[in-house]
Amino acid sequence: MKRAIVRPENSGASSDESLFESPEFVTRLTRVAQLWHYVLVSRVLVYFACAFFPGLPGFFDRPSQWLCLGLGILCDLVLTVIGQLSRTRRQVPPRYIALWCTVSMLLIALGTLATSIAMFVSSPSIDVARYLDAFAAIRIGTILVAAAAVAIARPAFFAFAGATALGGAIGKGSMPFAFAAMIFLFLLIVMVREDVRHQRRTERANRKTISDQQRALNLVRDFERAGRGWFWETDRHGQLVYISPTVAAKLGRSVSQLLGRPFTDIIQKRVGNDESEERTLGFSLSSRTPFKELTVQAAVHGEERWWSISGHPISNELGNFQGFRGSGTDLTEKKKSEREINQLARYDVLTGLANRLHITDLLERALKTHIGQPQPCAMMLMDLDRFKAVNDTLGHPVGDQLLQQVAARLTQIIGDRGQVGRLGGDEFQIVLPQITHADKLANIANAIILSIAKPFAIEGEQVRVGSSIGIAVSAGAGVSASALVRNADLALYAAKDAGRGVYRFYADAMHNQASERKAIEDALRDALAKDELKLVYQPIVDVASERISGFEALIRWQRGSGDAISPAKFIPIAEESNLIIPIGEWIIRSACAAIAELGPGYRVAVNVSPRQFGNDKLPATIMSAVSAAGIRPEQLELEITEGVFLDESPENLEMFQRLKRTGVRLALDDFGTGYSALGYLKKAPFDKIKIDQSFVRGAADRSSMNAAIISSIVGLAAALKMETTAEGVETHDDLDLIRGLGCSHVQGYIYGKPMTLAQALALLRAGDGRVVAEGYKSAREPRSRTFRQIQVASGSHRYEAIIRNVSTRGALIEGLWNVPQGTQFRLEFGPDLILDAEARWSEANRVGVQFAQAVEISALIGGAGTAPAPRSRIERAA
């Protein structure tokens, strides 16, 4: 049976529901069934009263009457059982309760009618009115109770039923009927009382429910107004029946405009890989399954807005699908934050270039095709030259702007050919897929070097830096990304060694060199523990008195295998690996111990590298070593290279002052070879300037400018009340020059090579501190051995002679006897080559001559047979 049911708004039922699916109808019938046990008891008592009380003969003397009465009681039992089962809905669906209640009540009504007709037909002699009046009163009263529960007109129907039964009994004057009526009325009153109590409980529960609902509604509204989320609901057809006003406002529409429209209309449809969330939403809506935290884009015109939505299907009390209900939150700010986090995770904040992680990922993808096959790719590593000086002199903000402009130039040069990334600091990485031709890569590298060399305009300043580039190529041979980076790094290292401002391609020899450096570094870490490091001492001599004033401590490394490693090789490695800190401390402590053995009249100088100088613990280390050795602090001299001037910072000056307060002497080493900052000579408390050997060697040559440079340094030191030490003096000519220029101390082979501490002590004891210069008269260039006859003219005389050894500045001639020193010659090597020369020395028939001007050796020896003759580069004094 179908009927239209009118429901209030949002009641959860549609208009095409059947009567038995109506929640209101089912609820009323269920309530009747729950009270029907009272009806059953009253009916049984009345039947027994009518059957067994005297004065009612023949009332139930026919089987048909018993059958009808039994069927009625059976229906009462069914209704009673249904009422008890309805208290647990999991066992009996509500729709079946309603159906069984209706059928049972119809059977009761039909049974009443059939019983009355049977009595009238079968017993016409009985006072039908009497019996029918009482019997009908019972039956009608029962049906009216049910009708009262269904129609919710309980008081009126209960009163009507009670009056009917009581009036019939009293009117006939029959005690059984009066007794039956009293039982029925008593049970009816019990039913009414129970129903009233139930009604009150229901009203209290309803009031509490309404209060809770109002509180929940207020909380929901506050939640919506705060913008922390929103709610929505659809009907069974997917059309909106509720949506939060805040969402409607963000969509630019009113709530009334959105109600009745499909829920999917407020979702922006996307295509491609981004539509997976929308597909999941469509599937969930069509399959009526829950969904949770789906990320969708809102259909907002001119604005990007993201939502996270959740929903679940809703059903009425009978389990029928009624639509969806859910909530949503605004993810717009979260999406922006995620985008910013992704930008920070993959791109450099300062320059906007790919960072180390992202550029490494791009390199790995560039080395393989989409199916995993190797493909050609090149990579460049670029490092800025003199960038640290910019940071130190102009400040880090200028350095940051410089990096930004460098990134812009690199991006412009590379364009679409590759990807530029910043690894950190001033180091950049460039990935160039499908480019392996050396000429193309060289052109790109040259363009980068020339572009970076151009000045940068920053805050009104012209900032200039350079760049060095290392290039590594993978020709599709399956080179890994890490191997390619390592190769490019080795090439960059080679570019820096080549003088900076250049590029270098990776070669296998670089890897061998790197392996050697790694092996040296590993062995150097154990060298101290294995006692493989030694100190040797080279004398420093006072020029005026030719007495030893002290020594310079020089480190040597003799490995356990007997191989000697040059300091020029392992000291830079110690610097890079920071091993110079423990090694430097060991040198200082060993030198202090050596001073204690040399005695109070001598000093020992040790070299301090820039990395050591930057170590905050250096002054404490020195004080500890001096105290442990029991020497005076001024007996220890620290030689500091000009490399520390690269960092013109207050911290450096503070370190100078701290070292000076320890009482040790400070010497500026290798002056003039690096970044000579004359201002530091005034600020830093140096006691001595050491003139580098590159100025000393060959200074006696009349064509050299070194003598003038040495003279200037000596004059500067004298003005600042500092001593000077000339390093690398090896010939008497150089010694005489240094002495004449006023240098206070000399250090070099002419007074002794580096020696052990025992040898130094023996040298001091042998001469009581005095030492004699022993060495060659002068320096000469490398010579070639030859045998060629030439013509020699001296005044009006001509001689034949043989030239034996020749250099660009002079030669050894045989065949001329007893030639006085200073004799002038004209040497005829051929009609087109005649040289003026002067005799510098003579011994028997051998004469050493010096050319008036330098010449090419190949022009002198011509086609004559020659053979290289490695000889000592200096000639002993006569």
Side-chain angles (χ1 to χ4, degrees):
M1 181 176 68
K2 300 274 186 177
R3 59 176 289 190
I5 298 178
V6 179
R7 299 192 177 280
E9 184 180 2
N10 292 336
S11 64
S14 59
S15 59
D16 58 350
E17 286 181 324
S18 65
L19 178 64
F20 297 112
E21 293 178 346
S22 171
E24 181 181 357
F25 181 73
V26 171
T27 301
R28 291 175 180 176
L29 286 182
T30 301
R31 181 58 187 159
V32 170
Q34 291 173 350
L35 295 176
W36 202 266
H37 57 281
Y38 295 112
V39 176
L40 174 63
V41 172
S42 66
R43 193 194 302 273
V44 170
L45 291 176
V46 170
Y47 286 167
F48 272 96
C50 292
F52 298 107
F53 269 74
L56 296 174
F59 190 75
F60 294 113
D61 54 357
R62 288 179 171 66
S64 59
Q65 296 175 2
W66 281 102
L67 179 63
C68 292
L69 294 175
L71 181 62
I73 292 177
L74 179 63
C75 292
D76 291 337
L77 287 172
V78 171
L79 281 173
T80 300
V81 172
I82 291 173
Q84 298 305 314
L85 293 177
S86 66
R87 299 181 186 275
T88 308
R89 294 191 178 186
R90 291 175 296 180
Q91 299 179 6
V92 181
R95 66 177 67 187
Y96 296 130
I97 293 176
L99 180 61
W100 292 343
C101 287
T102 303
V103 172
S104 299
M105 291 179 185
L106 289 175
L107 289 176
I108 291 172
L110 291 175
T112 301
L113 179 62
T115 303
S116 301
I117 294 174
M119 285 191 305
F120 178 76
V121 173
S122 61
S123 303
S125 59
I126 301 176
D127 189 352
V128 176
R130 176 183 176 187
Y131 290 103
L132 185 60
D133 199 13
F135 193 78
I138 297 171
R139 296 290 186 178
I140 293 171
T142 302
I143 296 172
L144 289 178
V145 170
V150 174
I152 320 181
R154 297 180 181 83
F157 282 100
F158 286 155
F160 176 75
T164 301
L166 184 62
I170 295 176
K172 300 301 179 180
S174 174
M175 285 301 296
F177 288 110
F179 178 73
M182 290 173 63
I183 293 174
F184 181 76
L185 289 176
F186 173 75
L187 295 176
L188 195 64
I189 292 170
V190 173
M191 290 176 62
V192 172
R193 181 184 177 188
E194 179 69 19
D195 193 63
V196 170
R197 288 180 177 178
H198 175 75
Q199 186 69 23
R200 290 176 178 175
R201 287 195 299 268
T202 302
E203 290 177 356
R204 285 195 298 268
N206 288 341
R207 285 195 297 270
K208 184 176 185 304
T209 300
I210 292 173
S211 176
D212 292 343
Q213 290 176 346
Q214 186 63 39
R215 186 181 297 107
L217 181 60
N218 292 335
L219 291 174
V220 168
R221 288 175 177 172
D222 292 342
F223 187 80
E224 290 177 334
R225 292 192 192 102
R228 289 175 289 180
W230 49 277
F231 301 94
W232 58 274
E233 183 178 343
T234 66
D235 59 17
R236 63 193 305 172
H237 302 295
Q239 296 177 344
L240 287 168
V241 297
Y242 177 80
I243 191 167
S244 298
T246 54
V247 174
K250 291 179 180 178
L251 292 171
R253 305 178 190 178
S254 63
V255 174
S256 60
Q257 290 176 324
L258 293 177
L259 296 182
R261 299 183 62 83
F263 175 65
T264 53
D265 282 1
I266 67 174
I267 306 299
Q268 179 74 39
K269 295 178 176 62
R270 295 179 290 170
V271 295
N273 296 330
D274 295 333
E275 63 175 345
S276 59
E277 301 281 338
E278 284 82 351
R279 288 199 301 268
T280 303
L281 175 62
F283 171 79
S284 299
L285 293 176
S286 62
S287 62
R288 299 178 180 179
T289 56
F291 55 90
K292 185 177 181 180
E293 296 181 355
L294 294 181
T295 301
V296 296
Q297 187 173 357
V300 181
H301 180 70
E303 181 183 0
E304 182 180 352
R305 187 166 291 279
W306 295 88
W307 291 332
S308 172
I309 59 173
S310 302
H312 61 275
I314 54 176
S315 304
N316 60 15
E317 296 180 354
L318 304 179
N320 297 314
F321 174 72
Q322 299 297 301
F324 271 88
R325 184 180 297 141
S327 61
T329 55
D330 197 315
L331 294 181
T332 305
E333 294 302 322
K334 182 180 178 181
K335 277 282 186 178
K336 291 180 181 179
S337 299
E338 289 177 352
R339 193 177 294 116
E340 293 175 357
I341 292 173
N342 180 66
Q343 183 77 11
L344 292 175
R346 299 173 65 84
Y347 294 92
D348 178 55
V349 178
L350 179 63
T351 62
L353 300 176
N355 62 11
R356 181 185 295 272
L357 177 66
H358 189 31
I359 198 70
T360 301
D361 179 61
L362 293 174
L363 176 60
E364 290 176 348
R365 285 189 281 168
L367 288 171
K368 293 183 179 180
T369 64
H370 64 285
I371 59 174
Q373 295 295 325
Q375 64 179 356
C377 178
M379 197 199 73
M380 296 182 179
L381 279 181
M382 190 201 79
D383 199 18
L384 296 181
D385 303 330
R386 302 184 300 278
F387 176 73
K388 187 176 185 301
V390 173
N391 268 341
D392 294 339
T393 56
L394 300 179
H396 288 279
V398 173
D400 290 345
Q401 294 183 51
L402 174 62
L403 291 174
Q404 292 171 345
Q405 294 190 25
V406 168
R409 293 188 186 183
L410 289 176
T411 304
Q412 182 179 11
I413 293 172
I414 299 302
D416 298 332
R417 293 179 292 185
Q419 180 74 41
V420 183
R422 179 179 175 229
L423 302 182
D426 59 345
E427 191 172 8
F428 295 83
Q429 181 173 317
I430 304 168
V431 178
L432 299 166
Q434 304 293 334
I435 301 178
T436 58
H437 200 279
D439 291 342
K440 291 183 178 180
L441 294 172
N443 290 336
I444 294 174
N446 272 324
I448 293 173
I449 291 173
L450 292 176
S451 177
I452 302 301
K454 296 178 182 178
F456 295 86
I458 302 176
E459 296 183 358
E461 297 282 346
Q462 292 288 323
V463 180
R464 294 181 181 272
V465 292
S467 59
S468 302
I469 299 176
I471 307 173
V473 179
S474 172
V479 178
S480 66
S482 59
L484 199 63
V485 172
R486 180 201 62 199
N487 295 346
D489 192 48
L490 293 174
L492 175 61
Y493 191 86
K496 292 180 178 179
D497 281 350
R500 303 178 183 268
V502 296
Y503 65 87
R504 287 291 183 268
F505 283 89
Y506 169 75
D508 291 338
M510 296 178 184
H511 180 66
N512 297 334
Q513 294 171 1
S515 299
E516 182 184 4
R517 292 174 62 87
K518 182 64 169 59
I520 291 176
E521 179 182 339
D522 293 341
L524 189 57
R525 293 183 183 277
D526 300 328
L528 273 176
K530 294 181 179 180
D531 198 26
E532 294 178 351
L533 298 179
K534 307 293 182 183
L535 287 183
V536 293
Y537 303 87
Q538 187 173 29
I540 300 175
V541 179
D542 184 278
V543 173
S545 63
E546 287 195 324
R547 295 184 64 89
I548 297 176
S549 62
F551 296 85
E552 180 179 2
L554 303 171
I555 189 170
R556 296 293 184 264
W557 182 14
Q558 184 102 22
R559 301 187 64 176
S561 59
D563 298 333
I565 309 298
S566 171
K569 181 176 290 188
F570 73 80
I571 290 297
I573 296 175
E575 286 274 358
E576 293 177 5
S577 61
N578 212 35
L579 290 173
I580 196 65
I581 301 298
I583 291 176
E585 182 176 348
W586 173 82
I587 291 174
I588 291 173
R589 294 187 181 278
S590 299
C592 290
I595 294 172
E597 293 192 44
L598 291 173
Y602 300 97
R603 297 193 296 261
V604 172
V606 296
N607 290 279
V608 175
S609 71
R611 191 177 291 271
Q612 282 180 274
F613 188 82
N615 182 15
D616 192 59
K617 297 180 180 179
L618 180 60
T621 300
I622 292 172
M623 292 298 295
S624 174
V626 168
S627 176
I631 62 174
R632 301 193 312 275
E634 62 269 20
Q635 288 183 269
L636 178 64
E637 187 171 87
L638 304 182
E639 296 185 359
I640 301 170
T641 62
E642 290 183 322
V644 299
F645 296 146
L646 289 174
D647 186 10
E648 298 181 6
S649 62
E651 290 78 11
N652 266 3
L653 287 177
E654 174 63 22
M655 178 58 74
F656 275 121
Q657 298 299 331
R658 290 178 60 192
L659 291 176
K660 194 61 179 177
R661 285 195 293 269
T662 64
V664 300
R665 289 169 53 88
L666 301 179
L668 180 58
D669 197 13
D670 301 334
F671 182 77
T673 59
Y675 302 87
S676 298
L678 297 180
Y680 257 73
L681 291 177
K682 179 178 64 175
K683 299 177 183 178
F686 287 111
D687 300 288
K688 178 190 289 187
I689 295 177
K690 298 194 72 173
I691 304 172
D692 188 69
Q693 59 185 349
S694 61
F695 297 115
V696 175
R697 289 175 182 171
D701 191 338
R702 286 174 293 182
S703 62
S704 172
M705 299 293 294
N706 288 356
I709 296 175
I710 294 173
S711 177
S712 300
I713 296 175
V714 171
L716 177 64
L720 296 174
K721 296 181 175 56
M722 299 179 185
E723 298 177 356
T724 52
T725 295
E727 297 181 292
V729 178
E730 299 181 352
T731 67
H732 283 269
D733 287 351
D734 291 339
L735 179 59
D736 293 340
L737 176 67
I738 294 299
R739 184 182 287 114
L741 293 176
C743 193
S744 61
H745 294 81
V746 168
Q747 178 183 347
Y749 279 15
I750 196 167
Y751 283 119
K753 296 181 179 181
M755 61 192 71
T756 65
L757 180 60
Q759 292 171 334
L761 292 171
L763 179 63
L764 293 176
R765 287 194 298 266
D768 194 21
R770 296 182 61 87
V771 66
V772 178
E774 294 181 358
Y776 296 96
K777 170 64 177 174
S778 60
R780 71 176 187 179
E781 297 180 1
R783 300 192 173 195
S784 293
R785 184 177 301 166
T786 185
F787 188 87
R788 180 177 181 180
Q789 187 173 354
I790 62 173
Q791 296 291 321
V792 179
S794 177
S796 59
H797 302 281
R798 295 181 64 84
Y799 308 94
E800 287 186 356
I802 297 174
I803 184 169
R804 299 298 299 265
N805 296 327
V806 64
S807 71
T808 60
R809 304 289 300 186
L812 172 62
I813 299 176
E814 291 183 352
L816 302 178
W817 293 82
N818 301 321
V819 177
Q821 184 177 354
T823 303
Q824 301 294 318
F825 294 104
R826 289 179 63 85
L827 308 179
E828 298 177 3
F829 289 86
D832 298 326
L833 183 58
I834 301 175
L835 298 178
D836 292 332
E838 178 183 351
R840 296 299 304 275
W841 61 270
S842 174
E843 183 177 349
N845 67 337
R846 304 174 67 192
V847 180
V849 298
Q850 181 179 358
F851 301 144
Q853 59 184 13
V855 295
E856 292 290 337
I857 295 179
S858 59
L860 299 179
I861 62 179
T866 63
R871 297 280 302 276
S872 175
R873 60 182 176 82
I874 46 184
E875 181 181 354
R876 286 194 174 274

